[in-house]
Amino acid sequence: MTETETAAAPPAAEAPTGRITAIRGAVVEVRFSGPAPAINTRLLAGPRGACVIEVATLIDRHTVRGLVLNPAERVALGMAVTDTGGPLQAPVGEGVLGRMIDVFGHPLDGKGPLENVQYAPIHRPPVPLTRRRPGGEIFQTGIKAIDLLSPIERGGKAGLFGGAGVGKTVLITEIIHNMVAEYEGVSLFCGIGERCREAEELYREMRASGVLDGAVLVFGQMNESPGARFRVGHTALTIAEHFRDAQHRDVLVLIDNIFRFVQAGAEVSGLLGNIPSRVGYQPTLGSELGALEERICNTDAGAITSIQAVYVPADDFTDPAATHVFSHLSASVALSRKRASEGLYPAIDPLKSASKMLTPGTVSDRHYDVARAVRRELAEYEALSDIIAMLGLEELSEADRATVARARRLERFLTQPFFTTEQFTGLPGRLVPLEDTLEGCARILSGALSHLPESAFYMAGTIAEVEARAAEAAA
């Protein structure tokens, strides 16, 4: 147990120390008879301290403005408020494994209270640079387009960028299916602004696949207050840091959706009366996102690997929320609405996705060469697409027609049936090792498979499956 952890939540003071003097939505002003508590202090109001308030700003020496984190509880003018003397606390330890909890650490799975846990404050500074350890190992997902063109770093941060309905949640659910079963460390799923349907489905799927016992699920759902959605990410990272620092275990943190964190911050900022910045976002967007993201890192004790879904408003990748998240990531996977409309799933845009891992010194020479060749082939095909649309394929030179044939086969080979969509597509899922992906792409680039029909490459796993399909169709 570290110095910042206690065996139970700190007891509240016996006598109330303040009164609610103003209420504006989910924001209240509290007047204290003595000195005002510090920012981020947890206050309790209402009968039995059921209403939780977090101090957000100080108005004067005796008055604070705070966020009501569970506004379903009734608040009223003149209500007594108790200063707990400390920040919000999150449960940490072995007792949270296999459980679904909310921002306060309360169970959501109906299995009774948590046992064998300690409590730690959710607000912590990032690990100093002197204690950080650089990564360098690839984290394979079994998804061809990601492993080939945008490999994820073990101990790094990867983002899945896309607009509404292009497959971010499906992709992160498939990553959970592929990686959590094989992952030796702790898996932690953080749902920020999740729909209750998605939370229930994820819990049921993880329980059915037998991986729930090594995982923790933390949810701040869409119907909760902006303050709760804004703090649920800090609760999740506090749990992850305990497993890394106290138990020396690697942690896989999956966040869906980090944009909801930014959105909750904008709501909180508006409620507190701050003047909005560009495109209506809060002026503190960069510092708030940095305070969360910089806690995800490697140390000598262990590694935290994070994969985050990022909603891109109106498919605008220049949106301030998307650009701020971009700057923290080691790998970015961009999802394309155009590819989704063509039925090329996962709808990963190979030309916009990137990873700092895709360098000759980090991946093998073969991986680097194949990935560059695939990207070059697809870029040439995109450059020819306008000519094809206006004049037709017949007007291209022989070399360009061969490029188009290879690129179209590569596009279809990089599609893949998912385990999590079997009930909708009727196609059994495929987990493809990186070596099989490299072998298939290399053979397509060499032109050795140009005689096979394009349809044989669509929604296939390995190149052996493609050849078997083609032979079956020919027979």
Side-chain angles (χ1 to χ4, degrees):
M1 192 185 302
T2 63
E3 293 180 3
T4 56
E5 293 167 9
T6 57
E14 292 183 2
T17 57
R19 299 256 172 207
I20 295 177
T21 58
I23 302 173
R24 187 172 67 245
V27 173
V28 295
E29 288 185 11
V30 183
R31 177 82 179 176
F32 288 86
S33 55
I39 289 177
N40 293 334
T41 299
R42 180 173 65 112
L43 310 177
L44 300 178
R48 301 176 304 281
C51 182
V52 182
I53 301 169
E54 185 181 54
V55 177
T57 58
L58 304 179
I59 298 177
D60 56 41
R61 292 183 61 187
H62 302 285
T63 311
V64 300
R65 187 171 289 151
L67 290 165
V68 180
L69 300 185
N70 50 348
E73 300 294 339
R74 174 180 165 273
V75 293
L77 291 173
M79 182 178 282
V81 177
T82 301
D83 176 10
T84 65
L88 284 170
Q89 304 237 326
V92 297
E94 292 290 330
V96 297
L97 290 175
R99 302 301 300 268
M100 180 194 289
I101 60 176
D102 64 9
V103 64
F104 308 110
H106 300 152
L108 300 174
D109 50 14
K111 291 183 179 178
L114 299 178
E115 298 176 355
N116 190 26
V117 295
Q118 305 94 44
Y119 284 80
I122 67 169
H123 298 286
R124 292 183 175 185
V127 174
L129 291 177
T130 52
R131 285 188 52 213
R132 299 197 180 204
R133 177 170 52 83
E137 185 183 346
I138 290 181
F139 210 67
Q140 290 194 33
T141 64
I143 299 171
K144 291 182 284 189
I146 293 178
D147 290 344
L148 175 69
L149 299 170
S150 186
I152 294 172
E153 177 186 14
R154 184 180 291 273
K157 290 174 279 222
L160 311 177
F161 290 83
V166 294
K168 297 183 301 300
T169 299
V170 171
L171 195 55
I172 207 164
T173 310
E174 182 72 6
I175 289 173
I176 291 172
H177 181 281
N178 291 358
M179 298 170 74
V180 171
E182 303 296 328
Y183 191 65
E184 296 175 356
V186 176
S187 303
L188 193 152
F189 182 87
C190 176
I192 305 177
E194 283 282 275
R195 302 167 184 86
C196 60
R197 168 185 59 80
E198 295 171 339
E200 188 272 334
E201 286 176 357
L202 178 67
Y203 180 78
R204 184 157 29 89
E205 287 172 8
M206 293 185 75
R207 186 174 58 186
S209 58
V211 299
L212 187 61
D213 290 343
V216 186
L217 288 79
V218 187
F219 284 100
Q221 292 176 200
M222 196 173 277
N223 63 327
E224 296 189 40
S225 71
R229 284 180 275 124
F230 189 55
R231 289 301 181 214
V232 70
H234 297 83
T235 298
L237 286 183
T238 301
I239 297 171
E241 287 169 340
H242 172 84
F243 283 113
R244 180 194 65 192
D245 299 335
Q247 300 193 9
H248 304 285
R249 297 168 73 175
D250 288 351
V251 188
L252 173 62
V253 178
L254 301 123
I255 302 176
D256 186 13
N257 184 309
I258 200 68
F259 174 78
R260 305 292 178 205
F261 168 78
V262 174
Q263 196 175 43
E267 291 181 50
V268 166
S269 181
L271 287 169
L272 294 174
N274 296 332
I275 298 173
S277 182
R278 191 158 69 96
V279 200
Y281 288 108
Q282 63 271 39
T284 52
L285 169 60
S287 58
E288 289 171 356
L289 193 61
L292 185 74
E293 294 279 7
E294 289 304 306
R295 291 172 65 176
I296 303 171
C297 66
N298 293 354
T299 68
D300 293 333
I304 298 180
T305 304
S306 175
I307 301 174
Q308 308 168 9
V310 188
Y311 168 69
V312 180
D315 294 339
D316 179 15
F317 282 83
T318 64
D319 186 88
T323 54
H324 275 84
V325 176
F326 261 125
S327 63
H328 292 281
L329 304 177
S330 57
S332 55
V333 178
L335 299 173
S336 160
R337 192 170 300 281
K338 177 176 177 290
R339 292 177 70 82
S341 66
E342 294 171 357
L344 300 174
Y345 288 102
I348 295 170
D349 190 326
L351 302 180
K352 289 184 179 177
S353 302
S355 170
K356 74 171 192 178
M357 298 293 287
L358 200 57
T359 55
T362 309
V363 299
S364 65
D365 291 342
R366 187 188 188 208
H367 185 174
Y368 179 70
D369 293 340
V370 169
R372 281 194 64 190
V374 167
R375 222 176 233 139
R376 183 169 58 247
E377 206 84 357
L378 294 174
E380 289 178 12
Y381 174 45
E382 188 168 300
L384 293 169
S385 59
D386 289 340
I387 298 173
I388 296 169
M390 289 187 293
L391 304 177
L393 193 63
E394 296 74 17
E395 297 299 317
L396 298 179
S397 66
E398 193 69 34
D400 286 344
R401 280 204 293 271
T403 297
V404 170
R406 289 193 299 269
R408 287 177 65 86
R409 283 164 175 77
L410 283 170
E411 273 189 338
R412 281 147 184 78
F413 181 63
L414 291 178
T415 62
Q416 188 171 341
F418 281 173
F419 292 97
T420 53
T421 58
E422 283 182 8
Q423 57 183 323
F424 308 112
T425 63
L427 300 172
R430 295 285 185 272
L431 190 152
V432 185
L434 177 60
E435 282 305 313
D436 291 346
T437 303
L438 296 177
E439 176 66 24
C441 290
R443 291 186 63 187
I444 294 170
L445 289 166
S446 69
L449 303 176
S450 296
H451 62 285
L452 300 182
E454 291 178 5
S455 58
F457 294 83
Y458 181 68
M459 286 293 172
T462 62
I463 213 69
E465 186 179 340
V466 172
E467 293 176 321
R469 276 191 190 178
E472 186 180 333

